C-alpha cells in the first residue's frame, strides 16, 4: 500500500511539474487496474490484453479471481486492445462494441530470419522449431520447464527458444540443457 501511494503521489507530482493537461493510464496488467484507475487524474484508461491470462492455470480459485478482476478492468477501461480473436470476443461480451480493437499477436518468422542463415546455427538434417516468448508467473513456468525438459529430448528436431527464462533452482540446469 505504501508503494502504491508513493507511485500515485509521484505520478501526480510529475503531471503537475510537466504541466500535463491530459494523461492516459495504459494498463497491461489487469491486476493493477484498481491501484491506479481514477486515482491519478487520468483522462483516458487503456487496457491492453496481450495474453490469455486464464488459459495457463489449472487452479480454479486463481481463475475465478482473475476472471473477476479482468471483467472489472474491462468495464473501467475506455479503450481495450485484444491480441486474439478469442480475447476480442470475450471483451465484446463484457464491454459491448465501444472502443474495442484487435491487434493480433503473431510473428512472421521470415521478417526475423531473412538476414540470418539458420544453417549456420543448425545443420539442415532436421526441422527447426522456434519458440518466441518467455516464462512468467502467469504462464506457469513450472509447466514450461517440464515441457522444455521433455521436448528437448526429442532428437528429430532442433529447438530454438528466444525469450527470457528465469533460471532458478532445478530449473537452471534444465534451461541450460
Amino acid at each position: 500500500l505504501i508503494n502504491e501511494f508513493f507511485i500515485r503521489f509521484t505520478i501526480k507530482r510529475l503531471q503537475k511539474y510537466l504541466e500535463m493537461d491530459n494523461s492516459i493510464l495504459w494498463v497491461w496488467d489487469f491486476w493493477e487496474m484498481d491501484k491506479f484507475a481514477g486515482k491519478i487524474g487520468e483522462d483516458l484508461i487503456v487496457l491492453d490484453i496481450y495474453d490469455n491470462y486464464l488459459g495457463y492455470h489449472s487452479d480454479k480459485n486463481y481463475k475465478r479471481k482473475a476472471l473477476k478482476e479482468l471483467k472489472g478492468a474491462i468495464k473501467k477501461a475506455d479503450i481495450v486492445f485484444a491480441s486474439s480473436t478469442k480475447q476480442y470476443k470475450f471483451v465484446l461480451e463484457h464491454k459491448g462494441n465501444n472502443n474495442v480493437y484487435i491487434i493480433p499477436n503473431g510473428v512472421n518468422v521470415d521478417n526475423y530470419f531473412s538476414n540470418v542463415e539458420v544453417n549456420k546455427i543448425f545443420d539442415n538434417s532436421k526441422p527447426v522449431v522456434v519458440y518466441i516468448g518467455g516464462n512468467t508467473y502467469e504462464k506457469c513456468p513450472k509447466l514450461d520447464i517440464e515441457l522444455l525438459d521433455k521436448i528437448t529430448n526429442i532428437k528429430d528436431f532442433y529447438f530454438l527458444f528466444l525469450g527470457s527464462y528465469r533460471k532458478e533452482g532445478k530449473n537452471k540446469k534444465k534451461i541450460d540443457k
Side-chain angles (χ1 to χ4, degrees):
L1 283 174
I2 292 173
N3 281 344
E4 292 169 25
F5 173 78
F6 181 72
I7 292 169
R8 289 192 304 261
F9 175 77
T10 304
I11 290 170
K12 286 179 185 178
R13 284 189 67 192
L14 282 170
Q15 289 170 322
K16 189 175 181 179
Y17 176 77
L18 296 172
E19 299 176 358
M20 293 175 66
D21 295 328
N22 301 307
S23 61
I24 299 171
L25 173 62
W26 193 293
V27 179
W28 61 268
D29 184 352
F30 66 93
W31 293 100
E32 302 292 317
M33 178 70 86
D34 284 337
K35 295 176 183 173
F36 300 102
K39 298 175 183 172
I40 60 167
E42 70 279 352
D43 298 291
L44 186 70
I45 300 173
V46 177
L47 176 62
D48 188 353
I49 302 176
Y50 66 90
D51 216 339
N52 179 9
Y53 310 106
L54 306 175
Y56 301 116
H57 286 273
S58 58
D59 182 338
K60 290 179 183 176
N61 191 37
Y62 172 86
K63 281 188 175 185
R64 184 178 46 73
K65 287 179 183 176
L67 183 60
K68 182 181 175 190
E69 289 290 324
L70 182 56
K71 286 179 182 179
I74 288 169
K75 286 180 180 162
K76 286 180 183 172
D78 298 305
I79 298 173
V80 179
F81 292 108
S83 63
S84 73
T85 304
K86 183 177 178 180
Q87 293 162 354
Y88 179 75
K89 288 177 181 176
F90 178 83
V91 174
L92 289 178
E93 246 178 73
H94 295 92
K95 188 170 184 59
N97 204 11
N98 296 339
N99 293 319
V100 180
Y101 304 93
I102 184 168
I103 301 176
N105 279 338
V107 176
N108 179 348
V109 293
D110 292 336
N111 293 339
Y112 293 90
F113 290 108
S114 61
N115 295 326
V116 175
E117 294 181 42
V118 176
N119 62 352
K120 287 187 177 180
I121 302 170
F122 303 105
D123 63 47
N124 290 328
S125 63
K126 302 187 265 190
V128 178
V129 177
V130 179
Y131 172 79
I132 300 173
N135 73 334
T136 63
Y137 172 75
E138 294 85 7
K139 293 185 177 183
C140 291
K142 184 178 179 203
L143 178 62
D144 279 354
I145 301 304
E146 289 172 13
L147 288 172
L148 268 175
D149 196 35
K150 291 190 185 329
I151 65 172
T152 52
N153 288 324
I154 300 171
K155 303 300 178 199
D156 299 332
F157 301 93
Y158 289 116
F159 294 93
L160 178 60
F161 297 94
L162 305 171
S164 61
Y165 277 83
R166 292 185 304 222
K167 295 181 179 185
E168 300 166 349
K170 294 177 190 175
N171 294 347
K172 181 177 179 3
K173 193 174 191 178
K174 290 179 182 178
I175 292 171
D176 288 341
K177 178 180 155 186

